[in-house]
């Protein structure tokens, strides 16, 4: 297994502004299984007042929200994409984001790094965070 070091990454000083400005978070890879990290993180973000949009290949609802099979299918405004998929999926995700004019933040969860996709997202004007957990970073700002 090859581990990639994030060469494109927002400064942690920017996290407060990210969480203050984001209202709606699309979550590719949000599992319906409560024991999965993606579900725990999404549930936490929901409890903090964020609207979550589950992106998952099957199912009708997760955490009470309508499930979409792709970010392409989401018609409502999305401020941040918080990805829980394999790193290579970020390439396709950035291509979809490039067709939208609403996404401002691409957040790749802990353990996920894709510098090429991150650079393309940054070139589109997005703030990019890699290899960090949204729940951990949000909780750290609350203390």
């Amino acid at each position: 297994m090859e581990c990639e070091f994030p060469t494109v990454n927002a400064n942690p000083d920017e996290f407060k502004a990210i969480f203050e400005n984001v209202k709606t978070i699309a979550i590719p890879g949000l599992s319906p299984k409560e024991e999965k990290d993606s579900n725990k993180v999404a549930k936490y973000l929901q409890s903090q007042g964020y609207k979550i949009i589950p992106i998952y290949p099957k199912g009708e609802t997760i955490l009470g929200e309508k499930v979409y099979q792709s970010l392409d299918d989401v018609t409502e405004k999305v401020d941040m994409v918080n990805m829980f998929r394999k790193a290579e999926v970020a390439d396709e995700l950035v291509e979809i984001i490039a067709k939208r004019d609403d996404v401002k933040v691409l957040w790749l969860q802990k353990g996920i790094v894709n510098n090429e996709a991150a650079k393309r997202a940054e070139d589109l004007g997005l703030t990019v965070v890699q290899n960090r957990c949204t729940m951990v970073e949000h909780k750290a700002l609350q203390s």
Side-chain angles (χ1 to χ4, degrees):
M1 180 173 143
E2 185 178 324
C3 294
E4 194 173 0
F5 181 81
T7 57
V8 177
N9 222 352
N11 185 313
D13 294 340
E14 297 176 69
F15 294 171
K16 186 174 193 287
I18 290 171
F19 289 118
E20 286 175 352
N21 294 315
V22 163
K23 305 288 181 246
T24 303
I25 305 171
I27 308 179
L30 172 49
S31 173
K33 297 178 181 170
E34 291 182 12
E35 67 275 10
K36 297 286 192 175
D37 288 341
S38 62
N39 191 288
K40 291 175 186 173
V41 169
K43 190 173 187 174
Y44 169 80
L45 292 170
Q46 214 177 26
S47 78
Q48 298 303 302
Y50 297 98
K51 163 109 170 99
I52 62 155
I53 300 174
I55 313 281
Y56 195 71
K58 52 191 177 227
E60 306 231 346
T61 61
I62 298 176
L63 297 171
E65 298 289 344
K66 177 179 172 25
V67 172
Y68 294 89
Q69 291 192 345
S70 168
L71 183 60
D72 261 335
D73 301 331
V74 178
T75 55
E76 55 195 293
K77 184 179 184 294
V78 173
D79 301 309
M80 178 165 82
V81 174
N82 183 16
M83 190 182 90
F84 280 90
R85 304 269 323 271
K86 291 182 178 175
E88 56 270 16
V89 174
D91 295 313
E92 177 187 333
L93 208 49
V94 171
E95 297 307 314
I96 295 169
I97 290 169
K99 295 184 271 179
R100 301 179 66 101
D101 63 358
D102 53 353
V103 179
K104 304 294 182 245
V105 179
L106 173 61
W107 193 302
L108 306 183
Q109 275 297 133
K110 186 88 176 141
I112 306 170
V113 177
N114 182 327
N115 288 316
E116 281 186 31
K119 177 71 173 111
R120 284 198 315 278
E122 192 176 64
D123 290 346
L124 292 170
L126 275 69
T127 300
V128 179
V129 180
Q130 300 189 85
N131 195 28
R132 296 227 184 216
C133 176
T134 46
M135 181 173 71
V136 169
E137 300 304 334
H138 188 272
K139 281 183 175 183
L141 291 169
Q142 307 310 307
S143 55

